Amino acid sequence: MTMLGTFLKPMHPEGYKFVAIFAAITLVLFWLWEPLGWIGVGLTVWCYYFFRDPKRSVPQGAGILVSPADGVISLIERAVPPEELGMGPEALVRVSVFMNVFNCHVNRAPIAGTIGAMGYRPGKFLNASLDKASVDNERNSLRIDLPDGRQIAVVQIAGLVARRIMWWVSEGQGMRTGERFGLIRFGSRVDVYLPEGVTPQVAIGQTMVAGETVLAVLGRDLPQTVSRTE
């Protein structure tokens, strides 16, 4: 790790056009009035960091479930998974990770498995930290089927500022733990629904790092120190 690498992170290709737009506006602002130009520089740097896509050290081991998003745990409660995933009417433990506009917004698979179902539903753009955002807001849901027959739901939820949910996976596709599967632009939330009997190992207010922070451990397996860079 170099000093330069500490501050300069890779950027997701989705951000190229936005950084270019911010940079062009910044040039116009400098032409109009220099102080406005420096404000534009600050916003351009923010845009670059919003779309950053740093490598993560993904913990390896049977049953380890990692956070799908950077952010803060905003809710831990029982709720029924989205009906489009076909997981039944029973409430499961739901862990919500709220991402503000300064977090990295690339989403990662919480655990290895096969995408058994997906579903997009348009909706509102309420503050993503609110409980009702899980029901009312625009969302994209996916169900990860595990080899032992259990299922985990991951739901990308648009927020007050977010206006586009992106994903680049499809039903039947296999995923590795920590693998990138989507992105939400400008403030949002990701919910994870745990299998029955699994207790989250995080607390409300805890800061999460996508692909690295252990959210829960399935069965009796314990997190291992072995990791890989993803």
Side-chain angles (χ1 to χ4, degrees):
M1 177 67 70
T2 64
M3 182 64 69
L4 185 62
T6 301
F7 296 99
L8 296 180
K9 302 296 183 182
M11 185 172 63
H12 192 275
E14 177 65 19
Y16 294 163
K17 59 184 176 182
F18 289 95
V19 171
I21 291 171
F22 273 67
I25 293 174
T26 296
L27 292 175
V28 173
L29 292 176
F30 267 119
W31 180 74
L32 292 174
W33 189 38
E34 185 174 336
L36 288 178
W38 287 111
I39 293 175
V41 169
L43 292 175
T44 302
V45 172
W46 166 80
C47 185
Y48 158 72
Y49 269 92
F50 178 88
F51 286 103
R52 68 193 183 277
D53 185 15
K55 293 181 179 180
R56 296 288 164 81
S57 296
V58 182
Q60 300 297 290
I64 294 179
L65 193 151
V66 299
S67 176
D70 285 17
V72 174
I73 299 293
S74 59
L75 292 169
I76 300 177
E77 59 188 1
R78 297 188 71 86
V80 178
E83 59 182 359
E84 58 264 30
L85 296 182
M87 296 178 66
E90 299 299 322
L92 300 174
V93 173
R94 180 180 69 196
V95 181
S96 300
V97 182
F98 175 72
M99 298 177 284
N100 64 37
V101 295
F102 297 104
N103 291 127
C104 172
H105 274 56
V106 175
N107 301 142
R108 293 171 176 263
I111 197 168
T114 302
I115 300 177
M118 292 186 65
Y120 170 78
R121 200 205 72 171
K124 300 177 181 179
F125 297 96
L126 304 174
N127 188 325
S129 64
L130 300 176
D131 180 39
K132 61 182 179 179
S134 294
V135 177
D136 296 337
N137 281 22
E138 176 183 355
R139 70 182 184 227
N140 178 59
S141 308
L142 59 90
R143 189 189 77 217
I144 301 176
D145 296 342
L146 307 182
D148 63 6
R150 287 183 289 184
Q151 300 173 328
I152 290 174
V154 183
V155 186
Q156 297 171 287
I157 301 172
L160 186 65
V161 182
R163 283 299 182 268
R164 187 175 183 190
I165 298 175
M166 302 183 64
W167 62 93
W168 41 83
V169 292
S170 56
E171 289 188 25
Q173 178 177 334
M175 290 197 300
R176 304 184 306 275
T177 304
E179 182 177 352
R180 302 165 178 83
F181 74 87
L183 180 149
I184 315 176
R185 288 210 297 252
F186 306 122
S188 44
R189 170 176 149 190
V190 177
D191 288 348
V192 179
Y193 292 80
L194 303 177
E196 189 62 51
V198 176
T199 301
Q201 297 188 3
V202 294
I204 291 177
Q206 181 175 340
T207 299
M208 309 297 286
V209 178
E212 289 191 356
T213 307
V214 175
L215 191 152
V217 181
L218 309 188
R220 297 180 179 178
D221 302 295
L222 295 175
Q224 300 178 7
T225 57
V226 178
S227 65
R228 74 167 188 273
T229 301
E230 182 82 23

